[in-house]
Amino acid sequence: MLAEQLLRLTRRLHRIQSRQLEPIGITPAQFRLLRTVASYDAAPRMADLAQRLDVVPRAVTTLVDALEASGRVRRAPDPDSRRVVRVEITDEGRATLRSLRNARRAAAEEILAPLTAGQREMLGELLAALVDGMPERRC
């Protein structure tokens, strides 16, 4: 029963998040890629992104194509290798991330609205225990 409740909650959170992302003009997968690009200190290679996201390189290419078309990222040549392409986040991409973070907070607030402050704190502790107890795996 607990697993089913977690799955239902996850699906509901995804639906709310998708609804929040739609006006910004970005998909959840594009958001994930944009967040990942922004998490690097230096512009990552396309292969780095595929590995971090645990997807095939072609999937990264498709996502980068869409984000580049919207001006949120740009491809840049690697100074050390002509065959390597790096992905840089643009100012537009950073602005989009700020909007997306606000949308995520709003989605979380919608999900957590029925809980008291104490219940939220307890839920946070329980979720932290579950996450900390899991083997490291990038999703």
Side-chain angles (χ1 to χ4, degrees), residues 72-138:
R72 293 176 172 125
V73 300
R74 70 178 151 261
R75 286 177 169 89
D78 185 288
D80 300 323
S81 173
R82 292 182 355 203
R83 296 184 306 162
V84 174
V85 175
R86 299 214 172 246
V87 180
E88 299 175 338
I89 189 166
T90 63
D91 289 340
E92 176 68 23
R94 285 185 194 84
T96 299
L97 270 181
R98 284 190 294 277
S99 295
L100 294 169
R101 287 183 181 122
N102 291 336
R104 286 186 86 187
R105 275 194 284 284
E109 190 58 40
E110 188 175 331
I111 288 283
L112 298 173
L115 301 180
T116 66
Q119 289 171 323
R120 288 179 185 206
E121 185 176 333
M122 183 182 298
L123 177 61
E125 290 170 5
L126 293 169
L127 291 173
L130 290 173
V131 170
D132 294 344
M134 295 173 66
E136 183 63 27
R137 181 169 178 259
R138 296 185 190 262

Side-chain angles (χ1 to χ4, degrees), residues 9-86:
L9 183 61
T10 300
R11 285 192 298 267
R12 182 169 176 224
L13 185 57
H14 282 245
R15 280 193 310 274
I16 291 168
Q17 183 178 356
S18 292
R19 190 176 70 234
Q20 299 268 352
L21 296 179
E22 191 175 345
I24 298 169
I26 195 166
T27 67
Q30 291 169 352
F31 175 36
R32 190 170 167 228
L33 181 86
L34 194 60
R35 254 191 1 234
T36 302
V37 170
S39 74
Y40 282 87
D41 292 330
R45 299 174 308 143
M46 300 276 277
D48 297 332
L49 294 169
Q51 183 177 13
R52 171 84 59 95
L53 295 169
D54 197 23
V55 298
V56 297
R58 177 69 189 127
V60 170
T61 300
T62 301
L63 293 170
V64 169
D65 287 347
L67 289 170
E68 189 173 39
S70 67
R72 293 176 172 125
V73 300
R74 70 178 151 261
R75 286 177 169 89
D78 185 288
D80 300 323
S81 173
R82 292 182 355 203
R83 296 184 306 162
V84 174
V85 175
R86 299 214 172 246

